[in-house]
Amino acid sequence: MNGKISTNHPIEIKDNSKERVAFDLLEKIASYDSREKAEGMKREYWLTLYHQCLKATSGTCSIESILNEK
């Protein structure tokens, strides 16, 4: 064996951790934003969105309480 690996299709790494689910949720939410709006958003927006998604996937808070946080 030469240790080389080749593939003819995209490779996907999947797991079911709450962090991965939160990231996937973030991507879905972001896809609904228009490209123009998304390009103008700051890092704080994305970190806040990820934090909210992570809380939502943990099941410890209601969606209403997450959305009402400042």
Side-chain angles (χ1 to χ4, degrees):
M1 291 178 56
N2 62 10
K4 293 183 180 179
I5 299 174
S6 64
T7 181
N8 295 329
H9 51 80
I11 296 173
E12 292 184 46
I13 299 174
K14 296 187 177 215
D15 69 46
N16 60 355
S17 68
K18 66 180 182 179
E19 293 82 4
R20 182 62 205 203
V21 172
F23 183 77
D24 291 345
L25 181 57
L26 177 146
E27 285 187 320
K28 293 230 182 265
I29 292 170
S31 72
Y32 289 105
D33 289 334
S34 68
R35 180 169 294 280
E36 297 81 29
K37 184 178 177 187
E39 288 175 356
M41 291 181 189
K42 296 181 179 179
R43 182 183 302 179
E44 181 181 1
Y45 169 81
W46 295 108
L47 292 173
T48 300
L49 178 58
Y50 177 78
H51 185 252
Q52 289 173 333
C53 292
L54 187 58
K55 285 179 121 180
T57 61
S58 73
T60 59
C61 302
S62 69
I63 298 299
E64 294 80 17
S65 68
I66 294 169
L67 293 174
N68 289 327
E69 286 180 358
K70 295 287 178 185

